[in-house]
Every structure is written in C-alpha cells, then in structure tokens.
C-alpha cells in the first residue's frame, strides 16, 4: 500500500480532546501532494531551515531520488498538519535516512511550534520502525533542531553521535566583527574593506526569473576559482546544476534565499547563494573569478553583502555552515557541532546498534589519521632532506 494510517488512540479520550491522525506516504509524488500544507507548517516551525522547504526537498528528490524509496510521515491534529518528516529508504532491510545526502548542512523534521511536544510524540510513534532490523539514521542535525524532540520521545534504541562542525558569526555591522579579531588582523581587514568600497563593486539581488542564468554563472565562476585546487566532483554533474537551479528559484521566490550578483567594471565577477531562515542566514555556495582575488578580499566582499541582507531581515546569525576553510577561520567564528541521530525499534535493534558502532569506529580512525598523518609527512620530508 502507498499510504498507511496510524491511530492516535493513546492520547486523551475525554470530550473535546483533539483528534490525532498519522499517515505514511510511500508514493514518489508524496511531496508534491502535500507541498502547500508542508510549507504552511514550515512557517509555523521556528527551527525550520531552507533545507526543509518543499522547493529544496522536491527538487532534490527529482534529481537524486530512487523510485519507490520515498517515505513521508505526516501527523495531523484535528485535520491540520502539525508534524512531518521526509525520509528515504536506504536499502532493502528497512533502513531509513534523510533526504539531501551530502548537499544539506542541516537535517530536520517539521513541528508546529504551538503543539511541538505533542506533535513530536505522535511523530515518534508514527515512524515506520517496527521490525528488529529497521533503523533510522539522520545526518547533520543541529543541537536545537525540532527532531531532537522526536529523539527524546523515542522509546526504542537511540544513539546520538557527533557530526560535522558548523561555524557562526553574529549578524552585526562589519565594524563589530572587526572587534573579534586581533589588532593587526583587524587593521588589515579594515584596509581591505576600504579597498572594496573604493573599487565601486555593484551588488544586486537576483529575481526568481533570473535565478537559472545566475546559477549557471555561479557554477562557471566556481569551477574557475577551484580548477587548480580541485572541484568537488558532484558540483560538476548536470543533476547538481539542475537541482540547484530549480531549488534556488523556489527558495528565492518565497524569501528563503537570496542570490547576490557582484559586478566590477560592468563584468560579473562573483555570485553568492545565501540561505535565509528564521534563526540564521547561511553562506551556502559562491563563485568568484580568480582575477578578483588579485584585486579585492573576496570573503570580505561576500560577508559584507550577506550581513546587510540578514540584518535587514532581522536575522540574528550569519552561519558559515559546514567546513573550516581558512577564509572562514580568519573571522574567529563561534563553533558548534551537528549531530548524527540513530534510532531503532527496541533493545534488540541490531542494525541500529551496528550502524552506530560503525560510525563510532569510523570517526575514531579519522581522528587517529588526523594526528598521525602530519607526523608521517614530517618524517618523510626529513628523510628526503637527509
């Protein structure tokens, strides 16, 4: 069956009590069918990010999803959607995970803030994890994500593990950010900002109709800037370009993203994709011509426009999202690790436990390599010198 209905009979039965109803949709068009009420719920969920908007989810599924593997869990109170999760089957044994793969910086579910705890309990009960071999693994979960409530209500086996490191800056005027920096670094940064102002760079926001062309320009500049240092292979694929163009068009149209186009001497020299969420603005991806680096501070240019955008929207934080690139570290950002959540149906949930164990072992190996590789490189260099 493509739709499963689950009873909410465990809730209060006195007269006037709300009616709860849960369902699991397994058809490939499930997100299309619930798009309008899904986005309405996203507006009532303060933790929601652009990655939970249907513009992003539907686009990703069209380009990356495998037929028959979409699982959408819905919870309604008196007919109104108050809880939702978009998942996918990972294989034939009932393993579930989030949509988005390595392209998302934050995974989450949607919960109506007005009934968040009750909706989380119902969503936990509705998750299709019934057999001992079932499991759910969610990557890149923020510590304050809505799904953390679902995790707390889960009555089976559960594991919380560290995931990618994300970085943040307060959305304050640039001069306030300079105060976070050491004296000489702050002085150099002020000089760089003056050069940007004196260069006469023109910054414009892209309209929804202009997004496909702007994304094409962004990717072209992105390839140019990284061609000597290596481009992420997925960023070269047609499916990524199609996903980014389609999802960004929808996000810009609904105010969940902004595309900034930078012109210098009449030429497009950089384009930046900024995600806009209630709790943060996120620098997702940019492209800049290599020649621009010779003239101006690219990070300062992008950060300046992004700060203006998020401050105008009264968003409190500018997120640098995942990654510890040097241009981010210069600004002394605050750091917070995402989490990986693994759920199983009960104490005897071998697949969930095995999954958590593999993750733990893998992280331990990476940490060991991270400490040993520099020493090995130093030893090899010393041997070559001798």
């Amino acid at each position: 069956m493509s739709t499963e209905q689950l009873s909410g009979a465990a809730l209060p039965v006195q007269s006037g009590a709300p009616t709860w109803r849960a369902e699991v949709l397994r058809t490939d068009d499930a997100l299309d069918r619930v798009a309008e009420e899904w986005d309405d719920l996203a507006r009532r969920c303060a933790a929601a990010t652009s990655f939970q908007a249907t513009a992003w989810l539907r686009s990703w599924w069209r380009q990356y999803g495998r037929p028959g593997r979409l699982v959408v869990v819905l919870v309604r109170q008196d007919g109104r959607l108050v809880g939702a999760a978009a998942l996918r089957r990972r294989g034939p044994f009932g393993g579930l995970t989030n949509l988005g793969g390595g392209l998302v910086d934050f995974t989450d579910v949607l919960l109506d803030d007005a009934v968040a705890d009750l909706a989380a309990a119902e969503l936990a009960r509705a998750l299709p994890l019934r057999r001992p071999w079932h499991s759910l693994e969610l990557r890149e979960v923020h510590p304050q994500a809505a799904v953390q409530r679902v995790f707390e209500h889960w009555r089976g086996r559960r594991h919380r593990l560290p995931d990618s490191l994300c970085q943040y800056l307060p959305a304050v005027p640039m001069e306030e950010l300079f105060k976070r920096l050491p004296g000489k670094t702050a002085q150099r940064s002020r000089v760089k900002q003056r050069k940007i102002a004196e260069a006469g760079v023109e910054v414009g926001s892209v309209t929804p109709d202009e997004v496909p062309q702007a994304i094409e320009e962004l990717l072209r500049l992105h390839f140019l800037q990284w061609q000597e240092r290596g481009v992420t292979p997925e960023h070269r694929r047609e499916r990524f370009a199609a996903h980014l163009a389609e999802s960004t068009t929808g996000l810009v149209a609904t105010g969940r993203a902004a595309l900034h186009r930078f012109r210098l001497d009449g030429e497009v020299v950089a384009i930046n994709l900024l995600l806009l969420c209630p709790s943060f603005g996120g620098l997702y991806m940019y492209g800049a011509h290599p020649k621009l680096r010779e003239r101006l501070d690219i990070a300062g240019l992008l950060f300046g426009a992004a700060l203006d955008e998020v401050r105008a929207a009264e968003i409190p934080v500018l997120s640098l999202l995942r990654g510890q690139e040097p241009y981010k570290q210069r600004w002394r950002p605050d750091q917070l690790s995402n989490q990986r959540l693994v759920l199983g149906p009960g104490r005897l949930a071998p697949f969930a436990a095995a999954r958590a164990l593999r993750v733990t072992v893998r992280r331990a190996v990476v940490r060991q390599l991270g400490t040993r590789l520099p020493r090995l490189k130093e030893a090899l260099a010393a041997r070559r010198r001798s």
Side-chain angles (χ1 to χ4, degrees):
M1 293 178 65
S2 60
T3 303
E4 304 166 18
Q5 294 189 4
L6 303 166
S7 171
L11 290 174
V13 296
Q14 66 267 25
S15 176
T19 300
W20 291 86
R21 177 170 161 265
E23 57 184 329
V24 178
L25 308 181
R26 299 181 183 273
T27 58
D28 292 337
D29 65 345
L31 287 169
D32 298 323
R33 290 163 52 191
V34 300
E36 185 174 346
E37 58 178 342
W38 184 286
D39 281 336
D40 179 59
L41 172 58
R43 286 187 285 271
R44 291 179 274 121
C45 179
T49 76
S50 301
F51 300 116
Q52 281 75 62
T54 56
W56 179 276
L57 294 171
R58 294 161 74 190
S59 170
W60 186 91
W61 179 254
R62 277 190 274 273
Q63 297 300 326
Y64 293 89
R66 298 181 65 176
R69 294 199 172 185
L70 182 62
V71 178
V72 175
V73 186
L74 307 173
V75 170
R76 290 186 172 86
Q77 182 192 51
D78 295 332
R80 190 186 198 195
L81 188 66
V82 295
L87 309 170
R88 61 184 173 91
R89 284 199 301 112
R90 198 168 40 213
F93 300 110
L96 296 174
T97 190
N98 53 280
L99 304 190
L103 302 183
V104 298
D105 292 82
F106 299 108
T107 288
D108 208 352
V109 302
L110 297 178
L111 299 173
D112 188 326
D113 291 334
V115 290
D117 203 53
L118 291 172
E122 285 299 302
L123 192 58
R125 281 195 282 268
L127 290 174
L129 303 174
R130 303 286 183 264
R131 306 295 183 184
W133 53 86
H134 288 174
S135 66
L136 168 63
E137 179 183 13
L138 299 177
R139 296 292 311 273
E140 308 302 350
V141 177
H142 190 279
Q144 277 79 53
V147 75
Q148 298 284 3
R149 289 177 179 264
V150 178
F151 183 86
E152 295 301 328
H153 280 285
W154 181 249
R155 293 295 174 258
R157 193 172 187 119
R158 60 187 187 183
H159 305 270
R160 182 184 277 122
L161 306 160
D163 214 333
S164 301
L165 182 71
C166 289
Q167 305 190 90
Y168 304 85
L169 290 169
V172 296
M174 186 69 77
E175 184 59 35
E176 290 295 314
L177 288 186
F178 292 153
K179 295 178 181 179
R180 301 169 66 93
L181 310 180
K184 290 185 178 179
T185 303
Q187 185 177 356
R188 286 194 296 268
S189 296
R190 288 187 179 95
V191 171
K192 291 176 180 179
Q193 285 303 116
R194 284 198 293 270
K195 287 183 65 176
I196 292 172
E198 293 167 358
V201 178
E202 299 176 2
V203 184
S205 295
V206 174
T207 66
D209 291 341
E210 297 172 326
V211 167
Q213 179 184 350
I215 290 296
E216 187 176 326
E217 292 173 316
L218 185 157
L219 290 174
R220 177 180 63 82
L221 292 169
H222 186 75
F223 298 153
L224 281 175
Q225 80 182 60
W226 292 105
Q227 60 185 348
E228 295 182 359
R229 289 170 286 178
V231 178
T232 302
E234 185 57 36
H235 292 170
R236 286 192 172 276
R237 298 197 170 107
E238 290 185 7
R239 65 182 183 180
F240 177 75
H243 162 57
L244 199 62
E246 180 184 350
S247 61
T248 304
T249 298
L251 293 175
V252 170
T254 55
R256 292 187 175 96
L259 265 180
H260 294 144
R261 184 188 275 129
F262 300 82
R263 284 190 170 92
L264 185 60
D265 301 328
E267 179 186 357
V268 176
V269 292
I271 295 183
N272 184 41
L273 173 55
L274 176 69
L275 304 180
L276 299 172
C277 315
S279 58
F280 71 89
L283 292 160
Y284 183 71
M285 188 177 188
Y286 76 95
H289 198 286
K291 291 183 179 178
L292 183 63
R293 192 178 303 276
E294 301 170 5
R295 297 183 58 180
L296 299 174
D297 174 25
I298 294 176
L301 179 68
L302 302 180
F303 281 27
L307 282 170
D308 289 343
E309 185 82 38
V310 298
R311 291 181 64 230
E314 299 183 343
I315 295 172
V317 170
L318 178 64
S319 174
L320 312 185
L321 303 182
R322 293 178 296 161
Q324 301 182 60
E325 295 87 341
Y327 78 89
K328 297 179 181 179
Q329 300 304 103
R330 189 186 96 200
W331 296 88
R332 303 294 177 93
D334 300 318
Q335 299 182 339
L336 185 64
S337 290
N338 282 344
Q339 298 173 358
R340 184 186 306 212
L341 306 184
V342 182
L343 305 179
R347 290 183 177 276
L348 299 176
F351 276 69
R355 186 75 183 174
L357 178 61
R358 284 197 297 272
V359 171
T360 303
V361 170
R362 208 161 42 232
R363 290 186 64 85
V365 170
V366 170
R367 281 197 300 271
Q368 286 189 350
L369 287 175
T371 57
R372 292 181 181 179
L373 279 178
R375 297 175 189 170
L376 180 59
K377 289 179 180 179
E378 290 176 6
L380 291 173
R383 185 174 181 179
R384 284 195 295 269
R385 286 194 298 270
S386 63

